[in-house]
């Protein structure tokens, strides 16, 4: 742990000293990020996979050392520079989005420490592993140089990588990338609350009408909309069960109202104004209204009463026209 | 002038007992003419309470009495005179009968 941190500090110092070569570093950052991420993933996911990676790296290092001693030293110098500039760039990124980058950096450090711990457990492979890491970094540097030469491709790749990294950052940190959703939710709730009185106003004003005209021996029931257009109508004549005479006149109103109410169930009426017109006792009018309601709500218990107003529009003239002559029996 | 006066009066009149027309907005006469009849609002879907209130309103307004005294055929003035006389005689006869019954009952009670 302490050795690892000390090495980081030294790296930063060297980076400050070598400020002359910052420009070519930009493409290096882009190239490095995607390559480091999969390595970290491999390490974090399983121990066995990490062991395999270390062995392969060891083999590579041996080959490189044996083949070319001088180029190795040159590569070492380049690696150090690249590392320093990488650190600098990472510092830059946090300035833009501080929390997620900081958390990511910590994650990386932890992963490295664990790797170091494993190396310590196995002394010889640990030492070799360190060298392998350095070599791998040099190789990455070489690849980065290639990307830098091709101007178009690295820009495109950088953009993609930035987008992906940003998403990952937010996912890892658990930040809510859409704070406006919360505000919209609150506004919607307010609108929902406000909408109800408006709905109620419409529900009362645009009510449909049910006109019940009760004569001595007949009854007419008509359902219209708020403007007076007829939707449905019925009368006592078509009813089959009723017979002529006193029975018809006594129960015509109730029967007709119930039949029309049952038919009106399919019209989707939400609010209804009952208009009763007839020079008869109130008992018959009450029975007619109740029958219509029962016919409308029959078959569905939970259905609510659609009647909003009850109106009696019976009129009688003050000494109006001459009445008909008495019938001579 | 009359239409203007009606509109002005309508502006200032906001009594709860006068049934005003629903806001259909398409019928010109409904705005100028006052609605007639008795209107009751069904509050909370309680139809029984609304019907009871309507019955009380109708009885107090006198429509029920008019229904009882319904006249379905035309009657000549001469017939009205004769009918009135007959009613009067019937009334006198019933009063006499009542007086006789009262005397008999008093006599019986005193006799005991």
């Amino acid at each position: 742990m302490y050795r690892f941190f000390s090495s980081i500090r030294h790296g930063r110092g060297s980076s400050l000293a070598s400020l002359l070569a910052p420009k070519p570093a930009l493409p290096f950052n882009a190239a490095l990020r995607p390559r480091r991420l999969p390595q970290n993933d491999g390490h974090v996911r399983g121990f066995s996979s990490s062991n395999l990676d270390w062995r392969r790296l060891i083999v590579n290092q041996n080959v490189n050392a044996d083949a070319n001693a001088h180029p190795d030293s040159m590569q070492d110098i380049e690696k150090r520079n690249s590392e320093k500039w990488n650190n600098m760039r990472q510092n830059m990124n946090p300035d833009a989005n501080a929390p997620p980058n900081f958390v990511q950096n910590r994650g990386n450090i932890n992963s490295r420490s664990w790797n170091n711990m494993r190396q310590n457990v196995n002394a010889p492979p640990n030492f070799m592993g360190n060298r392998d890491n350095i070599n791998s970094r040099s190789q990455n540097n070489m690849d980065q140089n290639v990307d830098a030469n091709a101007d178009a491709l690295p820009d495109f790749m950088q953009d993609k990588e930035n987008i992906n990294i940003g998403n990952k950052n937010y996912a890892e940190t658990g930040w809510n990338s859409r704070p406006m959703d919360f505000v919209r939710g609150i506004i919607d709730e307010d609108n929902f609350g406000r909408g109800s009185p408006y709905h109620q106003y419409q529900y009362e004003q645009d009510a449909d009408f049910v006109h019940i005209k009760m004569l001595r021996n007949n009854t007419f029931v008509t359902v219209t909309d708020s403007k007076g257009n007829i939707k449905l109508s019925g009368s006592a004549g078509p009813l089959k069960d009723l017979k002529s005479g006193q029975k018809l006149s006594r129960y015509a109103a109730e029967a007709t109202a119930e039949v029309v109410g049952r038919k009106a169930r399919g019209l989707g009426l939400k609010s209804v104004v009952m208009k009763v017109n007839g020079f008869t006792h109130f008992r018959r009018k009450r029975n007619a209204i109740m029958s219509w309601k029962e016919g409308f709500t029959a078959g569905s218990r939970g259905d609510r009463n659609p009647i909003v107003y009850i109106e009696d529009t019976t009129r009688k003239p003050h000494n109006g026209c001459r009445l008909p002559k008495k019938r001579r029996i | 002038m009359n239409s203007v006066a009606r509109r002005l009066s309508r502006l200032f009149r906001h009594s709860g007992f006068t049934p005003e027309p629903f806001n259909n907005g398409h019928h010109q006469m409904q705005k100028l003419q006052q609605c007639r009849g008795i209107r009751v609002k069904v509050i909370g879907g309680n139809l029984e309470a609304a019907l009871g209130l309507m019955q009380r309103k109708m009885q107090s307004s006198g429509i029920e009495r008019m229904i009882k005294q319904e006249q379905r055929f035309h009657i000549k003035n001469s017939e009205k005179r004769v009918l009135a006389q007959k009613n009067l005689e019937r009334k006198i006869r019933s009063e006499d009968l009542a007086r006789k019954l009262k005397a008999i009952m008093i006599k019986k009670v005193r006799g005991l």
Side-chain angles (χ1 to χ4, degrees):
Chain A
M1 292 291 288
Y2 295 102
R3 291 177 183 176
F4 185 75
F5 283 111
S6 63
S7 66
I8 291 167
R9 290 179 181 177
H10 288 295
R12 290 181 181 176
S14 63
S15 67
L16 291 171
S18 65
L19 291 170
L20 294 175
K23 295 180 180 179
L26 291 172
F28 295 166
N29 284 333
L32 283 174
R33 291 178 184 175
R35 289 172 184 175
R36 286 184 178 179
L37 290 172
Q39 293 179 1
N40 292 328
D41 293 338
H43 292 303
V44 172
R45 287 179 181 175
F47 298 104
S48 62
S49 64
S50 64
N51 292 331
L52 292 172
D53 294 336
W54 288 116
R55 291 176 183 176
R56 292 176 184 175
L57 292 170
I58 291 162
V59 171
N60 292 329
Q61 286 181 354
N62 292 328
V63 171
N64 291 328
D66 294 336
N68 298 321
H70 294 288
D72 292 339
S73 65
M74 293 298 292
Q75 288 179 355
D76 291 338
I77 293 165
E78 291 174 357
K79 295 171 188 176
R80 291 178 182 177
N81 292 331
S82 66
E83 291 173 5
K84 298 170 186 176
W85 284 111
N86 290 333
N87 291 329
M88 292 296 290
R89 292 168 188 174
Q90 289 178 0
N91 291 329
M92 291 294 291
N93 290 327
D95 294 335
N97 296 322
N101 288 339
F102 184 70
V103 172
Q104 275 192 344
N105 291 331
R106 285 185 175 179
N108 291 331
I109 293 162
N110 290 331
S111 65
R112 290 176 185 176
S113 66
W114 280 108
N115 292 332
N116 291 331
M117 292 295 290
R118 294 171 190 173
Q119 292 175 1
N120 291 331
V121 170
N122 298 324
N126 290 336
F127 181 72
M128 296 297 288
N130 288 330
R131 287 185 177 180
D132 294 330
N133 288 333
I134 293 163
N135 291 330
S136 66
R137 289 175 183 174
S138 65
Q139 291 176 0
N140 291 333
N141 292 330
M142 294 295 290
D143 296 330
Q144 289 175 1
N145 291 328
V146 171
D147 292 334
N149 292 331
D151 294 333
L153 293 174
D155 293 336
F156 183 71
M157 293 298 292
Q158 284 180 1
D159 294 337
K160 283 190 174 180
E161 291 162 3
N162 289 330
I163 291 162
N164 292 329
I165 291 162
N167 291 333
K168 291 179 180 178
N169 291 335
Y170 287 120
E172 291 176 1
T173 59
W175 275 27
N176 187 0
S177 65
R178 296 184 176 180
M180 289 303 293
D181 292 348
F182 182 66
V183 178
R184 284 203 200 92
I186 294 171
I187 293 168
D188 292 339
E189 290 177 0
D190 292 341
N191 289 334
F192 178 77
R194 292 173 185 174
S196 63
Y198 175 77
H199 178 70
Q200 187 174 3
Y201 180 80
Q202 289 293 110
Y203 156 85
E204 286 187 359
Q205 290 297 324
D206 293 348
D208 299 316
F209 293 102
V210 177
H211 301 267
I212 300 178
K213 183 178 181 183
M214 300 171 71
L215 302 177
R216 192 169 190 80
N217 294 326
N218 204 337
T219 300
F220 299 92
V221 182
T222 305
V223 180
T224 66
D225 61 2
S226 60
K227 299 178 184 177
N229 302 313
I230 293 172
K231 289 184 176 180
L232 178 66
S233 67
S235 66
L239 302 181
K240 304 172 187 176
D241 300 335
L242 292 184
K243 299 178 181 179
S244 64
Q246 189 68 15
K247 292 185 178 179
L248 172 62
S249 62
R250 188 180 292 271
Y251 302 108
E254 296 179 41
T256 306
E258 185 169 356
V259 169
V260 173
R262 211 178 295 132
K263 289 181 183 176
R265 201 189 320 165
L267 298 177
L269 304 175
K270 291 188 168 60
S271 56
V272 168
V273 177
M274 303 293 291
K275 289 197 170 188
V276 186
N277 183 357
F279 209 68
T280 59
H281 293 281
F282 185 75
R283 181 174 60 258
R284 296 180 69 185
K285 293 172 182 173
R286 172 200 287 268
N287 289 337
I289 292 167
M290 294 298 290
S291 297
W292 191 91
K293 184 219 170 188
E294 287 171 6
F296 188 86
T297 58
S300 59
R301 289 185 178 180
D303 196 354
R304 62 174 180 75
N305 181 17
I307 298 170
V308 180
Y309 282 95
I310 300 170
E311 194 169 337
D312 185 287
T313 57
T314 306
R315 294 191 294 274
K316 184 175 173 59
H318 297 274
N319 293 335
C321 301
R322 184 188 179 116
L323 293 170
K325 187 170 69 174
K326 194 170 198 177
R327 184 170 71 162
R328 296 171 60 191
I329 302 171
Chain B
M1 288 303 292
N2 283 333
S3 64
V4 172
R6 278 200 206 108
R7 288 182 183 177
L8 290 174
S9 65
R10 186 167 179 277
L11 287 174
F12 292 107
R13 184 180 71 239
H14 285 295
S15 64
F17 300 98
T18 305
E20 293 186 359
F22 293 110
N23 292 337
N24 291 334
H26 300 278
H27 195 45
Q28 191 68 16
M29 286 305 295
Q30 288 197 5
K31 290 185 174 179
L32 297 174
Q33 186 178 13
Q34 175 183 338
C35 269
R36 294 172 178 170
I38 296 166
R39 185 188 294 168
V40 174
K41 184 172 181 179
V42 180
I43 298 169
N46 193 350
L47 191 58
E48 293 289 348
L51 286 166
L53 180 58
M54 181 169 236
Q55 185 169 9
R56 287 201 296 279
K57 278 194 173 183
M58 289 181 72
Q59 286 175 351
S60 64
S61 68
I63 193 76
E64 290 290 316
R65 281 189 287 100
M66 292 170 70
I67 290 165
K68 288 179 182 177
Q69 298 173 3
E70 184 182 6
Q71 181 178 340
R72 295 192 290 144
F73 301 109
H74 177 66
I75 302 172
K76 291 187 286 185
N77 289 332
S78 58
E79 276 192 59
K80 285 180 182 175
R81 224 174 291 123
V82 171
L83 289 171
Q85 188 174 356
K86 285 184 178 179
N87 288 332
L88 183 59
E89 288 179 359
R90 191 180 304 109
K91 186 176 175 184
I92 292 168
R93 201 178 309 113
S94 66
E95 286 179 357
D96 289 342
L97 180 60
R99 196 178 305 108
K100 285 181 183 177
L101 287 173
K102 188 175 178 182
I104 289 167
M105 293 300 293
I106 291 169
K107 195 180 293 181
K108 232 177 192 183
V109 169
R110 286 179 182 175
L112 293 175

